[in-house]
Amino acid sequence: MHNLGHTRSSMKRDHILQTPDTFIRTVLPGMTNAAAIVHVAPAAGAAFTQYTAELESQGTLGATSLQRFLYVTSGVADLTTDTSFKTLTAGSFAYIPPGLAHTLTAQQKTVLAVIEKPYEPLEGTAPSALLVGHEDNVASVALMGDEDLQVRVLLPDNTSFDFAVNTMTYQPGAALALVEIHVMEHGLLMLEGGGIYRLGDNWYPVTAGDFIWMAPFCPQWFGALGKQPAKYLIYKDWNRHPIG
Ligand code: UGY
Ligand code: MN
């Protein structure tokens, strides 16, 4: 049926909710047998770019000189550099430092969350080397003592990284303990389940497949609804002074 111009997607000064019915696919330079859904980019006011890459078998990502983070939502892909070869499966993630030449080739249909950001140098610190891991091997920690809200911090929390990427899993009924207002911005991909996201003065029903961008200081709160856990992948800028 025709949607008569309705969508849950919303674009406000300090946040974007982008739902799959409004996704537009494009091909970024260097991508082959692949499409990108760009969720947020500097054009919208963000300091990073996040997109979903949908790769056919043998599909590849284009090159970047920026630091890049990958998280596999489904499929299998090979990440190759001059000195390493890693196979990524669902739940695998990779941190690729700025300037490291690499190729990412799908073995089968594969979907990845991709985050790219210019590295913010910090005196006395160098960017991390290539890092590849799997979510299952990352310890899960209760947020503020709430066992029903588990966080996995995927990247080591040290100043060689200027951003963090975490997964957060809420049991049905679990919620953030407060409305957060903070200087960090977020890119958020709903992976499983759903609930209600407060963004600014708006309350949105959200579900797996949705993307949210939160600008710095966007008031934010989430409560999980339904009978299955809600889980999201969340990016934030981290470990740097706000004034740069
Ligand atoms: O890490 C965070 O700031 C996280 N608790 N924010 C969020 O889930 N909206
Ligand atoms: Mn937050």
Side-chain angles (χ1 to χ4, degrees), residues 115-135:
I115 295 165
E116 294 166 356
K117 175 181 184 290
Y119 185 70
E120 212 178 304
L122 182 68
E123 217 178 299
T125 319
S128 162
L130 174 73
L131 188 148
V132 176
H134 194 285
E135 191 189 348

Side-chain angles (χ1 to χ4, degrees), residues 24-48:
I24 298 293
R25 285 162 176 81
T26 184
V27 178
L28 299 176
M31 277 185 140
T32 58
N33 297 322
I37 302 152
V38 180
H39 298 302
V40 75
F48 67 106

Side-chain angles (χ1 to χ4, degrees), residues 168 176 179-182 184-186 188 197 214 218 220-221 232 234-236:
M168 296 182 61
L176 286 176
V179 178
E180 297 179 3
I181 301 180
H182 52 61
M184 303 86 75
E185 62 178 332
H186 283 311
L188 182 160
Y197 230 104
M214 294 169 240
C218 175
Q220 57 199 255
W221 174 89
Y232 54 72
I234 185 165
Y235 157 96
K236 62 182 163 190

Side-chain angles (χ1 to χ4, degrees), residues 165-197:
V165 184
N166 305 336
T167 60
M168 296 182 61
T169 304
Y170 296 69
Q171 291 308 308
L176 286 176
L178 69 161
V179 178
E180 297 179 3
I181 301 180
H182 52 61
V183 67
M184 303 86 75
E185 62 178 332
H186 283 311
L188 182 160
L189 191 61
M190 286 297 299
L191 299 173
E192 294 168 19
I196 299 291
Y197 230 104

